[in-house]
Amino acid sequence: LEKNVSFVSERFKIFSDKVLFNRKDQTAVSQSTSKFFSEGTEINSEGFSIIDRGNIIVFNGKTSLILNQ
């Protein structure tokens, strides 16, 4: 998937420009700048991997974490 890709679940949202998605395994990988949002949390990274059907997200490259109160 390319250009303004978004993944939205009940627990989080991730936005990126290019994502490889495997529907069968419910996994995704991006090596593009990405933004993750969840309640009170924002993570900016240079990519990510979603594994274990969305239960595990690994952020790659330079990553910043912003916690809101």
Side-chain angles (χ1 to χ4, degrees):
L1 305 170
E2 292 187 39
K3 298 200 180 190
N4 299 322
V5 179
S6 62
F7 287 97
V8 179
S9 77
E10 293 177 4
R11 299 179 315 193
F12 64 85
K13 298 176 187 176
I14 293 183
F15 302 95
S16 188
D17 284 332
K18 186 174 182 180
V19 179
L20 296 173
F21 179 66
N22 182 320
R23 186 175 292 206
K24 179 183 174 191
D25 295 334
Q26 294 290 302
T27 60
V29 176
S30 177
Q31 295 179 351
S32 298
T33 300
S34 306
K35 290 189 174 224
F36 168 92
F37 298 94
S38 188
E39 187 174 329
T41 304
E42 178 181 339
I43 299 173
N44 299 302
S45 69
E46 294 178 339
F48 65 87
S49 298
I50 298 176
I51 56 175
D52 192 27
R53 300 196 180 282
N55 292 316
I56 298 173
I57 303 172
V58 178
F59 296 96
N60 303 319
K62 184 177 178 181
T63 303
S64 64
L65 170 65
I66 300 167
L67 300 175
N68 299 312
Q69 295 182 349

